Amino acid sequence: MRAFRLSDFDHAPAPADIPRPEPGPGEVRLRIRACGLNFADLLMMKGAYQDTPAPPFTMGMEVAGVVDALGPGTEGPAIGARVAVFGGAGGLAEFGCFDAARAVPLPESMDFTDAAAFQIAYGTSHVALDYKARLKEGETLLVLGAAGGVGLTAVEIGKVMGARVIACARGEARLDVARAAGADHLIDSDSGDIRAECKALGGVDVVYDPVGGAQFTAALRACRPDARMLTIGYASGEVPQIPANHLLVKNISVIGLYWGGYLSFRPEVVTGSLARLLEWYRAGRIAPHVSHRFPLDQAAEAFEVLRARKSTGKVVVTMD
């Protein structure tokens, strides 16, 4: 079968022909139809992601497809079922074997592209804003990187939860995407003053930050007393150094979130969150934004779009 593989951390991943895998106990094999790309995939190529497998391995963290076979002793889901899976790796291939417990049945109305773009981005933002930050109706939410894969979902979810949303992104085109997702106020990160513009709006109660660096520092200075700052990732390449005295004086909480980590120690947080998100999807309250689609033989080009930050929302690779 065709796959997109990383042989070692000194070389870029590349297409490969490998044997079709056989599912083990507790596993399902999927005929993969679509795979969503994530910033974490770029870190994984360099061995810089916290859950990077030992190479060689097939790239691709989240997939959607059809159950093709069950491993020994695996009771379900049924062969032919349409599911999405966060597998951590193995998604950029025509077939893959994954833990059956992670297979999420898809609504009839959800196509494979939407399903492959759904779990990580929406799951991260919902667990962050609801479970961790306890965002309340009427509060002000600042979303950094608001046109990116996770940032755009934070804008959507913030509006569903009743917040006033300030979206910060680079350039007019990206801000237009955030506006379409429901943002109430827009800040251009290239030309705007995040601290001053947020202060002029009365300050912020919750900050959602997948960017880090100077934007984190500016957002911290825009926080109201008792604010909560969510550190989601560091797309800027700079991990912020947090002045603890500022947290003390203004009673600010900084909260870390690694969504995938909950699968190992509190999986019910993820499953409960996904159930709520799928309810919102069925009701038309949220809708994945996929700016680029590529076939499997153009996976390298798909990653280049992600690396160059030419995408908004998600990039998805399809197998057909």
Side-chain angles (χ1 to χ4, degrees), residues 61-94:
M61 301 177 71
E62 59 178 333
V63 302
V66 178
V67 176
D68 167 75
L70 302 177
T74 306
E75 296 183 358
I79 291 174
R82 301 168 67 253
V83 300
V85 178
F86 169 71
L92 284 171
E94 293 177 300

PDB file of all heavy atoms in Angstrom, residues 61-94:
ATOM      1  N   MET A  61      -1.542  12.093  12.266  1.00  0.00           N
ATOM      2  CA  MET A  61      -2.030  11.856  13.621  1.00  0.00           C
ATOM      3  C   MET A  61      -3.518  11.540  13.702  1.00  0.00           C
ATOM      4  O   MET A  61      -3.941  10.813  14.598  1.00  0.00           O
ATOM      5  CB  MET A  61      -1.742  13.086  14.492  1.00  0.00           C
ATOM      6  CG  MET A  61      -0.277  13.444  14.588  1.00  0.00           C
ATOM      7  SD  MET A  61       0.011  14.949  15.565  1.00  0.00           S
ATOM      8  CE  MET A  61      -0.368  14.341  17.196  1.00  0.00           C
ATOM      9  N   GLU A  62      -4.327  12.125  12.822  1.00  0.00           N
ATOM     10  CA  GLU A  62      -5.782  11.943  12.958  1.00  0.00           C
ATOM     11  C   GLU A  62      -6.385  11.576  11.605  1.00  0.00           C
ATOM     12  O   GLU A  62      -6.055  12.165  10.590  1.00  0.00           O
ATOM     13  CB  GLU A  62      -6.458  13.183  13.534  1.00  0.00           C
ATOM     14  CG  GLU A  62      -6.280  14.457  12.747  1.00  0.00           C
ATOM     15  CD  GLU A  62      -7.011  15.646  13.353  1.00  0.00           C
ATOM     16  OE1 GLU A  62      -8.028  15.456  14.043  1.00  0.00           O
ATOM     17  OE2 GLU A  62      -6.551  16.777  13.127  1.00  0.00           O
ATOM     18  N   VAL A  63      -7.259  10.570  11.625  1.00  0.00           N
ATOM     19  CA  VAL A  63      -7.765  10.000  10.380  1.00  0.00           C
ATOM     20  C   VAL A  63      -9.268   9.794  10.444  1.00  0.00           C
ATOM     21  O   VAL A  63      -9.876   9.783  11.523  1.00  0.00           O
ATOM     22  CB  VAL A  63      -7.101   8.639  10.073  1.00  0.00           C
ATOM     23  CG1 VAL A  63      -5.597   8.777   9.977  1.00  0.00           C
ATOM     24  CG2 VAL A  63      -7.478   7.597  11.113  1.00  0.00           C
ATOM     25  N   ALA A  64      -9.839   9.597   9.267  1.00  0.00           N
ATOM     26  CA  ALA A  64     -11.221   9.160   9.142  1.00  0.00           C
ATOM     27  C   ALA A  64     -11.273   8.121   8.036  1.00  0.00           C
ATOM     28  O   ALA A  64     -10.541   8.212   7.046  1.00  0.00           O
ATOM     29  CB  ALA A  64     -12.141  10.334   8.812  1.00  0.00           C
ATOM     30  N   GLY A  65     -12.123   7.111   8.217  1.00  0.00           N
ATOM     31  CA  GLY A  65     -12.217   6.074   7.209  1.00  0.00           C
ATOM     32  C   GLY A  65     -13.270   5.042   7.568  1.00  0.00           C
ATOM     33  O   GLY A  65     -14.152   5.279   8.401  1.00  0.00           O
ATOM     34  N   VAL A  66     -13.143   3.893   6.937  1.00  0.00           N
ATOM     35  CA  VAL A  66     -14.113   2.811   7.081  1.00  0.00           C
ATOM     36  C   VAL A  66     -13.429   1.604   7.702  1.00  0.00           C
ATOM     37  O   VAL A  66     -12.335   1.210   7.263  1.00  0.00           O
ATOM     38  CB  VAL A  66     -14.705   2.438   5.711  1.00  0.00           C
ATOM     39  CG1 VAL A  66     -15.682   1.274   5.845  1.00  0.00           C
ATOM     40  CG2 VAL A  66     -15.392   3.647   5.083  1.00  0.00           C
ATOM     41  N   VAL A  67     -14.048   0.998   8.724  1.00  0.00           N
ATOM     42  CA  VAL A  67     -13.480  -0.189   9.363  1.00  0.00           C
ATOM     43  C   VAL A  67     -13.441  -1.311   8.339  1.00  0.00           C
ATOM     44  O   VAL A  67     -14.449  -1.686   7.734  1.00  0.00           O
ATOM     45  CB  VAL A  67     -14.304  -0.600  10.595  1.00  0.00           C
ATOM     46  CG1 VAL A  67     -13.750  -1.903  11.183  1.00  0.00           C
ATOM     47  CG2 VAL A  67     -14.287   0.511  11.642  1.00  0.00           C
ATOM     48  N   ASP A  68     -12.237  -1.868   8.161  1.00  0.00           N
ATOM     49  CA  ASP A  68     -11.991  -2.870   7.122  1.00  0.00           C
ATOM     50  C   ASP A  68     -11.761  -4.264   7.715  1.00  0.00           C
ATOM     51  O   ASP A  68     -12.034  -5.275   7.065  1.00  0.00           O
ATOM     52  CB  ASP A  68     -10.758  -2.413   6.329  1.00  0.00           C
ATOM     53  CG  ASP A  68     -10.177  -3.454   5.431  1.00  0.00           C
ATOM     54  OD1 ASP A  68     -10.773  -3.710   4.369  1.00  0.00           O
ATOM     55  OD2 ASP A  68      -9.118  -4.027   5.781  1.00  0.00           O
ATOM     56  N   ALA A  69     -11.249  -4.326   8.962  1.00  0.00           N
ATOM     57  CA  ALA A  69     -10.980  -5.609   9.616  1.00  0.00           C
ATOM     58  C   ALA A  69     -10.863  -5.377  11.111  1.00  0.00           C
ATOM     59  O   ALA A  69     -10.536  -4.261  11.566  1.00  0.00           O
ATOM     60  CB  ALA A  69      -9.700  -6.243   9.067  1.00  0.00           C
ATOM     61  N   LEU A  70     -11.127  -6.425  11.890  1.00  0.00           N
ATOM     62  CA  LEU A  70     -11.001  -6.390  13.351  1.00  0.00           C
ATOM     63  C   LEU A  70      -9.902  -7.347  13.784  1.00  0.00           C
ATOM     64  O   LEU A  70      -9.765  -8.444  13.242  1.00  0.00           O
ATOM     65  CB  LEU A  70     -12.315  -6.800  14.020  1.00  0.00           C
ATOM     66  CG  LEU A  70     -13.556  -5.973  13.678  1.00  0.00           C
ATOM     67  CD1 LEU A  70     -14.773  -6.571  14.368  1.00  0.00           C
ATOM     68  CD2 LEU A  70     -13.371  -4.528  14.097  1.00  0.00           C
ATOM     69  N   GLY A  71      -9.122  -6.934  14.789  1.00  0.00           N
ATOM     70  CA  GLY A  71      -8.113  -7.799  15.342  1.00  0.00           C
ATOM     71  C   GLY A  71      -8.712  -8.887  16.216  1.00  0.00           C
ATOM     72  O   GLY A  71      -9.904  -8.831  16.569  1.00  0.00           O
ATOM     73  N   PRO A  72      -7.926  -9.890  16.604  1.00  0.00           N
ATOM     74  CA  PRO A  72      -8.425 -10.971  17.457  1.00  0.00           C
ATOM     75  C   PRO A  72      -9.046 -10.448  18.743  1.00  0.00           C
ATOM     76  O   PRO A  72      -8.451  -9.603  19.434  1.00  0.00           O
ATOM     77  CB  PRO A  72      -7.165 -11.789  17.749  1.00  0.00           C
ATOM     78  CG  PRO A  72      -6.239 -11.490  16.612  1.00  0.00           C
ATOM     79  CD  PRO A  72      -6.516 -10.068  16.246  1.00  0.00           C
ATOM     80  N   GLY A  73     -10.242 -10.900  19.054  1.00  0.00           N
ATOM     81  CA  GLY A  73     -10.916 -10.515  20.282  1.00  0.00           C
ATOM     82  C   GLY A  73     -11.508  -9.125  20.276  1.00  0.00           C
ATOM     83  O   GLY A  73     -12.038  -8.682  21.298  1.00  0.00           O
ATOM     84  N   THR A  74     -11.448  -8.428  19.159  1.00  0.00           N
ATOM     85  CA  THR A  74     -11.998  -7.074  19.076  1.00  0.00           C
ATOM     86  C   THR A  74     -13.463  -7.148  18.677  1.00  0.00           C
ATOM     87  O   THR A  74     -13.797  -7.687  17.629  1.00  0.00           O
ATOM     88  CB  THR A  74     -11.218  -6.233  18.051  1.00  0.00           C
ATOM     89  OG1 THR A  74      -9.830  -6.266  18.379  1.00  0.00           O
ATOM     90  CG2 THR A  74     -11.701  -4.796  18.049  1.00  0.00           C
ATOM     91  N   GLU A  75     -14.332  -6.599  19.497  1.00  0.00           N
ATOM     92  CA  GLU A  75     -15.770  -6.759  19.287  1.00  0.00           C
ATOM     93  C   GLU A  75     -16.372  -5.694  18.367  1.00  0.00           C
ATOM     94  O   GLU A  75     -17.453  -5.883  17.826  1.00  0.00           O
ATOM     95  CB  GLU A  75     -16.500  -6.746  20.629  1.00  0.00           C
ATOM     96  CG  GLU A  75     -16.128  -7.928  21.524  1.00  0.00           C
ATOM     97  CD  GLU A  75     -16.902  -7.941  22.830  1.00  0.00           C
ATOM     98  OE1 GLU A  75     -17.700  -6.990  23.051  1.00  0.00           O
ATOM     99  OE2 GLU A  75     -16.691  -8.861  23.625  1.00  0.00           O
ATOM    100  N   GLY A  76     -15.725  -4.606  18.218  1.00  0.00           N
ATOM    101  CA  GLY A  76     -16.290  -3.556  17.375  1.00  0.00           C
ATOM    102  C   GLY A  76     -15.373  -2.365  17.349  1.00  0.00           C
ATOM    103  O   GLY A  76     -14.322  -2.370  18.002  1.00  0.00           O
ATOM    104  N   PRO A  77     -15.704  -1.378  16.578  1.00  0.00           N
ATOM    105  CA  PRO A  77     -16.921  -1.180  15.783  1.00  0.00           C
ATOM    106  C   PRO A  77     -17.025  -2.153  14.611  1.00  0.00           C
ATOM    107  O   PRO A  77     -16.049  -2.792  14.243  1.00  0.00           O
ATOM    108  CB  PRO A  77     -16.788   0.266  15.295  1.00  0.00           C
ATOM    109  CG  PRO A  77     -15.310   0.512  15.288  1.00  0.00           C
ATOM    110  CD  PRO A  77     -14.754  -0.257  16.426  1.00  0.00           C
ATOM    111  N   ALA A  78     -18.224  -2.252  14.049  1.00  0.00           N
ATOM    112  CA  ALA A  78     -18.499  -3.234  13.022  1.00  0.00           C
ATOM    113  C   ALA A  78     -17.747  -2.924  11.733  1.00  0.00           C
ATOM    114  O   ALA A  78     -17.472  -1.755  11.417  1.00  0.00           O
ATOM    115  CB  ALA A  78     -20.002  -3.277  12.735  1.00  0.00           C
ATOM    116  N   ILE A  79     -17.402  -3.974  11.010  1.00  0.00           N
ATOM    117  CA  ILE A  79     -16.808  -3.786   9.690  1.00  0.00           C
ATOM    118  C   ILE A  79     -17.788  -2.985   8.827  1.00  0.00           C
ATOM    119  O   ILE A  79     -18.990  -3.247   8.804  1.00  0.00           O
ATOM    120  CB  ILE A  79     -16.482  -5.150   9.056  1.00  0.00           C
ATOM    121  CG1 ILE A  79     -15.326  -5.816   9.833  1.00  0.00           C
ATOM    122  CG2 ILE A  79     -16.113  -4.998   7.581  1.00  0.00           C
ATOM    123  CD1 ILE A  79     -15.005  -7.208   9.391  1.00  0.00           C
ATOM    124  N   GLY A  80     -17.264  -2.003   8.148  1.00  0.00           N
ATOM    125  CA  GLY A  80     -18.077  -1.106   7.343  1.00  0.00           C
ATOM    126  C   GLY A  80     -18.465   0.178   8.046  1.00  0.00           C
ATOM    127  O   GLY A  80     -18.984   1.100   7.400  1.00  0.00           O
ATOM    128  N   ALA A  81     -18.212   0.268   9.359  1.00  0.00           N
ATOM    129  CA  ALA A  81     -18.560   1.483  10.101  1.00  0.00           C
ATOM    130  C   ALA A  81     -17.665   2.647   9.684  1.00  0.00           C
ATOM    131  O   ALA A  81     -16.468   2.477   9.432  1.00  0.00           O
ATOM    132  CB  ALA A  81     -18.441   1.238  11.603  1.00  0.00           C
ATOM    133  N   ARG A  82     -18.237   3.831   9.621  1.00  0.00           N
ATOM    134  CA  ARG A  82     -17.501   5.062   9.332  1.00  0.00           C
ATOM    135  C   ARG A  82     -17.050   5.672  10.664  1.00  0.00           C
ATOM    136  O   ARG A  82     -17.884   5.968  11.528  1.00  0.00           O
ATOM    137  CB  ARG A  82     -18.375   6.065   8.574  1.00  0.00           C
ATOM    138  CG  ARG A  82     -18.895   5.543   7.256  1.00  0.00           C
ATOM    139  CD  ARG A  82     -19.990   6.451   6.684  1.00  0.00           C
ATOM    140  NE  ARG A  82     -19.487   7.758   6.293  1.00  0.00           N
ATOM    141  CZ  ARG A  82     -19.707   8.883   6.954  1.00  0.00           C
ATOM    142  NH1 ARG A  82     -20.446   8.894   8.071  1.00  0.00           N
ATOM    143  NH2 ARG A  82     -19.221  10.021   6.518  1.00  0.00           N
ATOM    144  N   VAL A  83     -15.734   5.871  10.835  1.00  0.00           N
ATOM    145  CA  VAL A  83     -15.221   6.342  12.115  1.00  0.00           C
ATOM    146  C   VAL A  83     -14.089   7.338  11.903  1.00  0.00           C
ATOM    147  O   VAL A  83     -13.487   7.415  10.832  1.00  0.00           O
ATOM    148  CB  VAL A  83     -14.708   5.169  12.997  1.00  0.00           C
ATOM    149  CG1 VAL A  83     -15.819   4.169  13.287  1.00  0.00           C
ATOM    150  CG2 VAL A  83     -13.517   4.479  12.344  1.00  0.00           C
ATOM    151  N   ALA A  84     -13.809   8.083  12.957  1.00  0.00           N
ATOM    152  CA  ALA A  84     -12.608   8.913  13.041  1.00  0.00           C
ATOM    153  C   ALA A  84     -11.766   8.393  14.194  1.00  0.00           C
ATOM    154  O   ALA A  84     -12.296   7.893  15.192  1.00  0.00           O
ATOM    155  CB  ALA A  84     -12.976  10.376  13.261  1.00  0.00           C
ATOM    156  N   VAL A  85     -10.444   8.516  14.065  1.00  0.00           N
ATOM    157  CA  VAL A  85      -9.533   8.026  15.098  1.00  0.00           C
ATOM    158  C   VAL A  85      -8.377   9.015  15.267  1.00  0.00           C
ATOM    159  O   VAL A  85      -7.784   9.457  14.264  1.00  0.00           O
ATOM    160  CB  VAL A  85      -8.949   6.640  14.744  1.00  0.00           C
ATOM    161  CG1 VAL A  85      -7.973   6.179  15.825  1.00  0.00           C
ATOM    162  CG2 VAL A  85     -10.050   5.605  14.562  1.00  0.00           C
ATOM    163  N   PHE A  86      -8.067   9.343  16.518  1.00  0.00           N
ATOM    164  CA  PHE A  86      -6.799  10.003  16.811  1.00  0.00           C
ATOM    165  C   PHE A  86      -5.810   8.889  17.146  1.00  0.00           C
ATOM    166  O   PHE A  86      -5.870   8.282  18.210  1.00  0.00           O
ATOM    167  CB  PHE A  86      -6.933  10.970  17.994  1.00  0.00           C
ATOM    168  CG  PHE A  86      -5.602  11.465  18.505  1.00  0.00           C
ATOM    169  CD1 PHE A  86      -4.853  12.356  17.758  1.00  0.00           C
ATOM    170  CD2 PHE A  86      -5.088  11.023  19.705  1.00  0.00           C
ATOM    171  CE1 PHE A  86      -3.625  12.806  18.212  1.00  0.00           C
ATOM    172  CE2 PHE A  86      -3.860  11.470  20.177  1.00  0.00           C
ATOM    173  CZ  PHE A  86      -3.126  12.359  19.427  1.00  0.00           C
ATOM    174  N   GLY A  87      -4.921   8.603  16.195  1.00  0.00           N
ATOM    175  CA  GLY A  87      -3.987   7.495  16.378  1.00  0.00           C
ATOM    176  C   GLY A  87      -2.596   7.923  16.798  1.00  0.00           C
ATOM    177  O   GLY A  87      -1.797   7.094  17.213  1.00  0.00           O
ATOM    178  N   GLY A  88      -2.268   9.208  16.657  1.00  0.00           N
ATOM    179  CA  GLY A  88      -0.940   9.684  17.008  1.00  0.00           C
ATOM    180  C   GLY A  88       0.065   9.566  15.880  1.00  0.00           C
ATOM    181  O   GLY A  88       1.027  10.327  15.816  1.00  0.00           O
ATOM    182  N   ALA A  89      -0.121   8.594  14.992  1.00  0.00           N
ATOM    183  CA  ALA A  89       0.714   8.377  13.811  1.00  0.00           C
ATOM    184  C   ALA A  89       0.003   7.336  12.960  1.00  0.00           C
ATOM    185  O   ALA A  89      -0.994   6.741  13.370  1.00  0.00           O
ATOM    186  CB  ALA A  89       2.118   7.901  14.192  1.00  0.00           C
ATOM    187  N   GLY A  90       0.506   7.125  11.740  1.00  0.00           N
ATOM    188  CA  GLY A  90      -0.030   6.077  10.892  1.00  0.00           C
ATOM    189  C   GLY A  90      -1.140   6.494   9.961  1.00  0.00           C
ATOM    190  O   GLY A  90      -1.704   5.650   9.262  1.00  0.00           O
ATOM    191  N   GLY A  91      -1.464   7.776   9.904  1.00  0.00           N
ATOM    192  CA  GLY A  91      -2.641   8.213   9.162  1.00  0.00           C
ATOM    193  C   GLY A  91      -2.430   8.474   7.689  1.00  0.00           C
ATOM    194  O   GLY A  91      -3.385   8.438   6.916  1.00  0.00           O
ATOM    195  N   LEU A  92      -1.201   8.750   7.264  1.00  0.00           N
ATOM    196  CA  LEU A  92      -0.955   9.066   5.858  1.00  0.00           C
ATOM    197  C   LEU A  92      -0.619   7.786   5.096  1.00  0.00           C
ATOM    198  O   LEU A  92       0.519   7.540   4.675  1.00  0.00           O
ATOM    199  CB  LEU A  92       0.163  10.103   5.742  1.00  0.00           C
ATOM    200  CG  LEU A  92      -0.268  11.532   6.089  1.00  0.00           C
ATOM    201  CD1 LEU A  92       0.924  12.466   6.173  1.00  0.00           C
ATOM    202  CD2 LEU A  92      -1.293  12.060   5.088  1.00  0.00           C
ATOM    203  N   ALA A  93      -1.629   6.958   4.956  1.00  0.00           N
ATOM    204  CA  ALA A  93      -1.504   5.680   4.269  1.00  0.00           C
ATOM    205  C   ALA A  93      -2.885   5.244   3.815  1.00  0.00           C
ATOM    206  O   ALA A  93      -3.901   5.796   4.234  1.00  0.00           O
ATOM    207  CB  ALA A  93      -0.894   4.631   5.198  1.00  0.00           C
ATOM    208  N   GLU A  94      -2.916   4.246   2.951  1.00  0.00           N
ATOM    209  CA  GLU A  94      -4.198   3.765   2.459  1.00  0.00           C
ATOM    210  C   GLU A  94      -4.928   2.918   3.490  1.00  0.00           C
ATOM    211  O   GLU A  94      -6.163   2.857   3.487  1.00  0.00           O
ATOM    212  CB  GLU A  94      -3.986   2.983   1.162  1.00  0.00           C
ATOM    213  CG  GLU A  94      -3.513   3.884   0.023  1.00  0.00           C
ATOM    214  CD  GLU A  94      -3.234   3.112  -1.242  1.00  0.00           C
ATOM    215  OE1 GLU A  94      -2.370   2.206  -1.221  1.00  0.00           O
ATOM    216  OE2 GLU A  94      -3.875   3.422  -2.273  1.00  0.00           O
TER     217      GLU A  94
END
